[in-house]
């Protein structure tokens, strides 16, 4: 098997700010440079794409000198933080946007699932939309006709096929759209964060389909996600993008380890990623000034063995008066990001004044949790959980890594990763013999 | 892995370079999509209206009546002796196709930004589908016009003389479609970066109508200004159309050739610009 995709020195320059009067001046400068046979003057002033640092230039490299190859039939993951250049890369690969320099070579038909249901027209019936959407994705009329029945079957909306899709429930809409996309037969399938939408069942279906498509049919799958667990389950090879540059490239396990190193470098300060609405929310009344995971000796680390003692130490500062202070700390599921377990402590019930600082350490004597990787969630708020008082650090630090320790009680291999020690009592236990319908 | 030779690659994505990369082969490959777009346009336009496709009739009739009253009865502009109703309708129907083509295609990138941003297909498919779906509207209106024409003709209106030049209609259509598409995609290419041009189109088309013999015959024009109207490539087309169906006005092959050349040049420039913009517009739109 040879390479199916070869990305050769791809770079992409973006201009920040508004298109306005200055743009036309720059256009003219560029034109003059070209007429005089010189290089585009704005290519030189590009800066690395660091979202949270104020730059000197209006031009940034969304991607800079990216090189990699993907082999035929491989499932290939692309990860990176927000703004690392993942989507830009996919846009170039799916020919939606062109690169500034460099080239990409592809073998076979490419279909991208950047968003399911692209081009659905609300006024048209389900049937018409299957044909329209199929055609947009590059299928011919004949192909769609041949697959129509199995598309409708897969979607499970047979009854509504002749109803305009604007009358569909959003679930039916997505199902039909995904069914069309799933029946495309491209040599290269590009998938961007479809898992962000849809319920757990749908996510599973997507992942399963992507696995099948590469395993059984030998197609190449390119998968972009924030969901490390999904990448780990699906992809054989992975690349990490960081600020538009290729940070690591190799086997998924190894690359994920490097990715965690990358997030470990973040030290939480009062102004860390303040503008990132997803990972850090809040109005700045109270701020974390430091977050550390340590062992009982006070050594900073993120890797623990099952059953080990874990300490969570935080420092904070008050910037505007609030009523009391609550600290919440949660361990999230690596796959679904739902909360597995939550710790909550009222740190103060008095009025807190600007300028006050504090420190708190919480100890978890033995976190009864399966080996795996768990994103962490930290929150400071007042006693009434008012949203204006919050400071939330959601999955911004390195995830907690639990490895198997001497205590094997929590590492039963048949169970997926997670937290399994909720209290319970058995209150009924009877076994019937169905042949005789009597109690045994 | 490195054994793969260069020629095995089926596609190479490169930065925009040069002007002369046409995707006409690609457009042909996506002809099914073209037809689906046409179908979508046609089916979806009058969905959830009570009168439905009947609006296709109503539009030109109401406009014609307005023009007849305003320009015919109040302003008393000459119609070359042709019944005013027929005179205006012939102008409206043919001009309507051109102006629809222009305005619809001029917003290609902006109205389709959402879908263009997600999937690749030859972008030219979009404006082409507009041209074709508008053709159906034109067909229906032409039928309506023919009905009126027959009515007047049967009733012995002596001034109406349909003639053999009617056979030129398909050619006139190609000219109008080409001009509309050409101007439209030039504007749409420009609007991706500077929206100013989309404002221009709105009233530009309207102004252009007054520089075309739609509401007046060429003969009613003072000699001094005639050259302005004759420089307009649409003039010969509308005039020929009217001459063919009504027998009024002039038929001047020279002017028609001028329009044809104009059309080819505009369309070529349009496709060149469009092709260039299609690769970068996602970054600027």
């Amino acid at each position: 098997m040879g390479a199916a995709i070869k990305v050769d020195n791809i770079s992409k320059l973006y201009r920040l700010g508004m298109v306005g009067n200055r743009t036309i001046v720059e256009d003219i400068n560029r034109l003059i440079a070209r007429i005089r046979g010189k290089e585009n003057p704005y290519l030189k002033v590009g800066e690395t794409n660091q979202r949270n640092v104020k730059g000197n230039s209006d031009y940034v490299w969304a991607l800079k000198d990216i090189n990699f190859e993907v082999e035929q039939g491989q499932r290939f993951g692309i990860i990176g933080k927000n703004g690392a250049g993942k989507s830009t890369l996919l846009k170039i690969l799916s020919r939606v946007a062109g690169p500034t320099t460099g080239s990409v070579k592809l073998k076979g038909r490419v279909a991208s699932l950047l968003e399911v249901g692209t081009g659905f027209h609300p006024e048209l019936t389900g049937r018409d939309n299957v044909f329209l959407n199929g055609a947009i994705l590059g299928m011919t009329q004949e192909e769609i006709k041949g697959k129509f029945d199995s598309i409708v079957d897969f979607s499970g909306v047979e009854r509504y096929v002749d109803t305009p899709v604007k009358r569909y429930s959003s679930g039916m809409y997505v199902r039909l759209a995904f069914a069309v996309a799933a029946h495309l037969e491209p040599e290269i399938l590009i998938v961007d964060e479809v898992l962000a939408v849809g319920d757990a069942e749908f996510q599973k279906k997507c992942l399963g389909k992507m696995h099948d498509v590469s395993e059984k049919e030998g197609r190449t799958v390119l998968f972009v996600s924030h969901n490390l667990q999904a990448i780990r389950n699906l992809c054989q090879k992975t690349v990490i993008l960081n600020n538009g540059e290729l940070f690591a490239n190799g086997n998924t396990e190894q690359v994920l380890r490097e990715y965690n190193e990358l997030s470990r470098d973040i030290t939480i300060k009062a102004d860390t990623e303040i503008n990132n609405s997803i990972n850090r929310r809040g109005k700045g009344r109270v701020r974390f000034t430091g977050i550390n995971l340590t062992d009982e000796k006070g050594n900073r680390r993120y890797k623990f063995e099952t059953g080990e003692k874990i300490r969570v130490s935080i420092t904070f500062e008050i910037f505007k008066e609030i009523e009391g202070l609550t600290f919440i700390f949660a361990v999230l599921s690596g796959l679904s990001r739902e909360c597995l377990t939550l710790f909550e402590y009222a740190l103060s019930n008095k009025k807190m004044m600007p300028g006050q600082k504090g420190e708190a350490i919480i100890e978890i004597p033995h976190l009864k949790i399966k080996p795996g990787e768990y994103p962490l969630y930290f929150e400071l708020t007042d006693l009434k959980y008012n949203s204006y008082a919050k400071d939330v650090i959601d999955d911004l630090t390195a995830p907690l890594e639990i490895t198997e320790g001497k205590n094997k009680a929590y590492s039963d291999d048949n169970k997926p990763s997670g937290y399994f020690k909720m209290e319970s009592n058995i209150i009924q236990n009877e076994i019937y013999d169905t042949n005789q319908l009597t109690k045994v | 892995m490195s054994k793969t030779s260069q020629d095995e690659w089926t596609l190479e994505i490169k930065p925009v370079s040069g002007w002369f990369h046409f995707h006409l082969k690609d457009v042909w490959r996506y002809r099914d999509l073209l037809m689906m777009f046409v179908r979508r346009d046609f089916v979806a336009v009058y969905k959830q209206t009570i009168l439905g496709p009947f609006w296709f009739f109503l539009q030109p009739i109401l406009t014609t009546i307005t023009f007849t009253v305003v320009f015919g009865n109040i302003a008393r502009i000459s119609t070359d002796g042709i019944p005013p109703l027929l005179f205006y309708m012939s102008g409206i129907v043919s001009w309507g196709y051109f102006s629809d083509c222009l305005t619809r295609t001029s917003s290609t990138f902006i109205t389709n930004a959402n879908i263009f941003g997600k999937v690749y297909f030859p972008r030219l498919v979009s404006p082409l589908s507009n041209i074709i779906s508008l053709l159906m509207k034109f067909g229906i209106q032409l039928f309506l016009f023919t009905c009126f024409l027959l009515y007047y003709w049967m009733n012995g209106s002596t001034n109406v003389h349909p003639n053999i030049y009617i056979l030129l209609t398909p050619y006139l259509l190609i000219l109008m479609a080409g001009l509309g598409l050409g101007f439209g995609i030039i504007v749409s290419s420009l609007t991706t970066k500077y929206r100013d041009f989309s404002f221009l189109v709105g009233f530009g088309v309207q102004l252009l109508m007054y520089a075309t013999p739609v509401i007046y015959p060429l003969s009613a024009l003072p000699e001094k200004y005639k050259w302005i109207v004759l420089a307009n490539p649409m003039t010969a087309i509308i005039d020929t159309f009217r001459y063919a169906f009504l027998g009024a006005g002039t038929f001047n092959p020279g002017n028609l050739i001028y329009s044809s050349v104009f059309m080819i040049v505009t369309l070529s420039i349009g496709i060149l610009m469009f092709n260039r913009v299609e690769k970068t517009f996602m970054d600027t739109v």
Side-chain angles (χ1 to χ4, degrees):
Chain A
M1 292 249 188
I5 305 174
K6 188 165 190 250
V7 174
D8 205 3
N9 259 321
I10 283 286
S11 298
K12 174 93 186 164
L13 190 71
Y14 272 120
R15 186 188 184 286
L16 301 179
M18 308 267 282
V19 174
N21 295 337
R22 270 174 62 204
T23 336
I24 203 159
V25 175
E26 283 167 11
D27 274 352
I28 293 165
N29 282 342
R30 209 171 282 144
L31 192 70
I32 292 170
R34 192 160 60 214
I35 290 168
R36 292 167 63 198
K38 285 191 181 157
E39 206 191 333
N40 181 349
Y42 295 99
L43 285 183
K44 288 182 204 148
V45 295
E47 291 182 338
T48 34
N49 185 16
Q50 261 178 303
R51 171 165 37 85
N52 43 5
V53 178
K54 194 166 161 47
N56 300 316
S57 168
D58 267 349
Y59 286 84
V60 291
W61 291 103
L63 289 175
K64 185 111 177 92
D65 303 330
I66 306 288
N67 283 293
F68 62 84
E69 269 183 44
V70 182
E71 279 186 55
Q72 225 160 327
Q74 204 167 48
R75 294 182 300 278
F76 194 84
I78 300 172
I79 50 179
K81 291 184 290 184
N82 287 340
K86 304 181 297 287
S87 299
T88 309
L89 181 59
L90 286 203
K91 277 193 174 152
I92 290 173
L93 290 177
S94 51
R95 298 173 74 187
V96 166
T100 309
T101 61
S103 74
V104 180
K105 289 174 188 148
L106 298 161
K107 210 180 290 167
R109 199 159 74 158
V110 183
S112 61
L113 249 160
L114 293 192
E115 199 173 282
V116 286
T118 307
F120 263 36
H121 194 289
E123 297 287 355
L124 298 182
T125 64
R127 182 187 304 276
D128 287 340
N129 267 313
V130 167
F131 279 92
L132 178 62
N133 192 224
I136 289 175
L137 295 172
M139 284 196 260
T140 64
Q141 205 87 335
E142 285 303 308
E143 275 180 274
I144 307 166
K145 240 177 232 163
K147 287 177 193 160
F148 185 79
D149 288 333
S150 73
I151 289 175
V152 174
D153 209 39
F154 187 90
S155 69
V157 296
E158 202 164 354
R159 194 160 175 195
Y160 290 82
V161 133
D162 290 311
T163 306
V165 294
K166 65 175 175 181
R167 308 257 176 263
Y168 281 30
S169 79
S170 48
M172 278 158 42
Y173 190 92
V174 172
R175 276 168 170 272
L176 189 65
F178 183 71
V180 179
H183 283 79
L184 272 175
E185 282 171 2
E187 279 74 31
I188 301 167
L189 183 66
I190 297 178
V191 186
D192 186 10
E193 306 260 38
V194 277
L195 298 171
V197 294
D199 53 22
E201 183 207 329
F202 176 67
Q203 295 187 2
K204 225 174 189 172
K205 209 169 182 174
C206 292
L207 283 174
K209 186 80 193 175
M210 283 189 274
H211 192 270
D212 286 356
V213 154
S214 105
E215 204 75 354
K216 292 184 189 148
E217 297 162 28
R219 300 177 197 285
T220 312
V221 176
L222 234 65
F223 179 52
V224 167
S225 182
H226 283 295
N227 193 325
L228 300 189
Q229 205 60 40
I231 292 260
R232 180 172 284 149
N233 289 345
L234 189 73
C235 302
Q236 298 135 331
K237 288 254 171 108
T238 300
V239 293
I240 302 178
L241 295 179
N242 186 34
N243 294 334
E245 284 165 35
L246 197 70
F247 180 80
N249 176 10
N251 291 325
T252 301
E253 277 306 321
Q254 183 195 334
V255 165
L256 284 183
R257 221 167 293 139
E258 288 182 50
Y259 184 67
N260 285 340
E261 295 296 328
L262 184 69
S263 17
R264 195 153 305 163
D265 284 343
I266 295 179
T267 34
I268 298 298
K269 284 181 287 180
D271 60 348
T272 307
E273 306 255 354
I274 245 167
N275 298 318
N276 187 332
S277 60
I278 296 168
N279 294 324
R280 185 153 192 174
R281 304 182 280 260
K283 299 262 159 39
R285 289 199 168 213
V286 56
R287 285 276 178 212
F288 282 106
T289 47
I291 292 178
N292 279 312
L293 291 196
T294 62
D295 56 20
E296 49 193 323
K297 290 180 194 110
N299 297 320
R300 248 190 108 181
R301 55 192 248 218
Y302 278 88
K303 221 179 238 175
F304 294 90
E305 290 182 354
T306 48
E308 238 186 319
K309 239 177 224 166
I310 300 172
R311 279 184 186 170
V312 183
S313 71
I314 57 157
T315 52
F316 54 85
E317 187 175 346
I318 312 291
F319 291 94
K320 241 184 182 174
E321 162 186 326
I322 56 169
E323 283 297 329
L325 191 64
T326 307
F327 170 57
I328 298 168
F329 162 63
V331 178
L332 309 182
S333 153
L335 197 57
S336 67
R337 320 233 134 203
E338 275 158 347
C339 173
L340 294 177
T341 181
L342 183 137
F343 308 85
E344 185 182 331
Y345 295 93
L347 301 182
S348 165
N349 50 16
K350 294 192 198 104
K351 188 171 271 189
M352 309 280 289
M353 300 308 279
Q356 284 185 319
K357 291 182 183 179
E359 191 176 352
I361 299 177
I362 286 158
E363 185 178 80
I364 305 160
H366 34 250
L367 188 59
K368 297 172 181 176
I369 199 162
K370 280 261 308 168
E373 224 174 73
Y374 302 93
L376 300 175
Y377 173 96
F378 303 90
E379 175 179 335
L380 279 176
T381 179
D382 65 4
L383 285 183
K384 288 185 178 150
Y385 313 106
N386 285 316
S387 58
Y388 62 78
K390 283 187 189 211
D391 185 24
V392 174
I393 308 267
D394 188 358
D395 195 14
L396 206 61
T397 61
L400 176 66
E401 260 181 85
I402 304 286
T403 53
E404 189 171 317
K406 285 152 238 150
N407 186 350
K408 298 230 172 183
Y410 315 114
S411 51
D412 179 354
D413 276 340
N414 294 322
K415 285 183 196 147
S417 67
Y419 176 65
F420 289 104
K421 289 290 170 185
M422 191 181 281
E423 237 175 86
S424 65
N425 298 311
I426 185 160
I427 55 169
Q428 189 177 3
N429 178 20
E430 287 164 23
I431 295 162
Y432 296 98
D433 188 326
T434 48
N435 293 323
Q436 290 163 26
L437 282 174
T438 48
K439 261 186 206 177
V440 179
Chain B
M1 197 162 96
S2 49
K3 263 184 243 155
T4 30
S5 59
Q6 291 289 99
D7 44 294
E8 269 183 73
W9 302 105
T10 49
L11 177 70
E12 190 169 0
I13 302 169
K14 280 203 217 142
V16 223
S17 56
W19 287 81
F20 297 95
H21 291 288
F22 295 120
H23 301 289
L24 296 182
K25 225 190 236 168
D26 253 14
V27 175
W28 175 245
R29 209 159 56 77
Y30 276 82
R31 60 191 181 279
D32 281 345
L33 179 61
L34 184 66
M35 290 334 287
M36 286 311 298
F37 275 154
V38 172
R39 201 181 130 76
R40 175 195 66 181
D41 285 350
F42 202 62
V43 173
V45 187
Y46 291 115
K47 269 278 165 83
Q48 241 184 25
T49 58
I50 294 166
L51 296 179
F54 190 65
W55 282 109
F56 282 144
F57 289 106
L58 222 51
Q59 271 172 5
I61 290 180
L62 290 179
T63 325
T64 306
I65 292 173
T66 317
F67 280 17
T68 311
V69 171
V70 176
F71 299 114
N73 295 2
I74 299 174
R76 293 188 189 283
I77 297 170
S78 143
T79 57
D80 262 1
I82 298 204
L85 202 70
L86 284 184
F87 182 85
Y88 294 122
M89 193 178 265
S90 65
I92 288 163
V93 167
S94 47
W95 174 260
Y97 179 62
F98 166 77
S99 78
D100 279 352
C101 283
L102 206 169
T103 37
R104 277 278 278 284
T105 51
S106 70
S107 59
T108 303
F109 281 113
I110 291 166
T111 47
N112 293 304
N114 185 34
I115 174 168
F116 282 4
K118 286 181 186 123
V119 199
Y120 172 80
F121 54 84
R123 305 319 190 194
L124 208 52
V125 168
S126 261
L128 279 176
S129 75
N130 287 338
I131 302 295
I132 296 173
S133 54
L134 287 169
L135 209 55
M136 279 190 261
K137 180 179 168 189
F138 174 78
I140 292 173
Q141 296 183 345
L142 186 66
F143 170 75
L144 180 74
F145 171 66
T146 320
C147 290
F148 275 91
L149 181 63
L150 284 176
Y151 172 81
Y152 274 90
W153 201 38
M154 295 293 186
N155 285 326
S157 182
T158 44
N159 288 329
V160 182
H161 310 286
N163 51 55
I164 189 75
Y165 288 110
I166 286 180
L167 295 180
L168 274 179
T169 313
Y171 182 66
L172 296 179
L173 266 183
I174 293 175
L175 287 183
M176 287 193 282
L179 279 169
L181 181 69
F183 281 121
I185 59 182
I186 288 174
V187 174
S188 76
S189 308
L190 296 172
T191 42
T192 57
K193 205 161 196 177
Y194 302 108
R195 292 292 152 83
D196 308 36
F197 293 95
S198 61
F199 292 102
L200 198 69
V201 169
F203 73 89
V205 169
Q206 214 154 21
L207 289 186
L208 195 62
M209 189 186 87
Y210 292 105
T212 316
V214 173
I215 50 163
Y216 53 82
L218 211 50
S219 62
L221 221 60
E223 274 312 310
K224 231 163 75 184
Y225 302 118
K226 218 167 197 167
W227 65 272
I228 303 178
V229 175
L230 281 176
N232 174 356
M234 279 304 291
T235 300
I237 300 171
I238 303 276
D239 216 35
T240 309
F241 182 85
R242 202 170 265 152
Y243 181 74
F245 281 85
L246 304 175
T250 49
F251 172 66
N252 186 337
N255 291 351
L256 209 55
I257 289 169
Y258 165 73
S259 298
S260 311
V261 173
F262 203 105
M263 185 274 273
I264 291 167
V265 172
T266 321
L267 193 58
S268 308
I269 294 174
I271 293 178
L272 281 176
M273 289 177 71
F274 194 85
N275 267 324
R276 200 165 162 82
V277 167
E278 109 176 0
K279 286 188 190 163
T280 55
F281 96 100
M282 266 325 289
D283 309 330
T284 48
V285 74

